[in-house]
Amino acid sequence: MSGVPAPLGGEVPAELAGLRRSIDNIDSALVHLMAERFRATQEVGVLKATLGLPASDPTREREQVARLRALAEDSGLDPVFAEKFFAFIVAEVIRHHDAIAGR
Ligand SMILES: C=C(O[C@@H]1C=C(C(=O)O)C=C[C@H]1O)C(=O)O
């Protein structure tokens, strides 16, 4: 015996299956939320390109990070993770905005 549990063969314990159903529902919600968020940020990108505004707004991002870190702390989520996750999303948004503006 190596001490490493064997992979589950067929039968998944009921408790694990229940937790995985919750995880799948949450992942579905996250995909829908991200789709809505990117739909809104695409419109922001078009607006910014039309108005000749820069893709990124560091002041706005600092406010968002402060707000999200506080929310994360209140809800038991690691604020460092919350900030990294936010930065990951915003980097993609900026990439889209640059593309919309032809940069
Ligand atoms: C969406 C915007 O553009 C950028 C992306 C942001 C975001 O994804 O939340 C926030 C600020 C900007 O750097 C915006 O200015 O509101």
Side-chain angles (χ1 to χ4, degrees), residues 32-97:
H32 288 130
L33 290 170
M34 282 298 120
E36 280 304 298
R37 193 183 198 284
F38 276 98
R39 214 163 56 82
T41 57
Q42 287 295 99
E43 284 189 42
V44 170
V46 172
L47 200 56
K48 283 182 170 179
T50 307
L51 299 173
L53 294 171
S56 80
D57 183 339
T59 304
R60 161 84 173 144
E61 287 177 31
R62 271 193 295 278
E63 290 164 0
Q64 287 168 288
V65 166
R67 179 174 164 271
L68 291 174
R69 286 187 64 105
L71 281 173
E73 270 160 23
D74 279 355
S75 58
L77 180 69
D78 179 358
V80 175
F81 169 76
E83 186 168 348
K84 272 197 262 180
F85 184 58
F86 177 73
F88 180 69
I89 294 166
V90 172
E92 182 70 4
V93 171
I94 303 298
R95 211 175 57 76
H96 293 178
H97 285 186

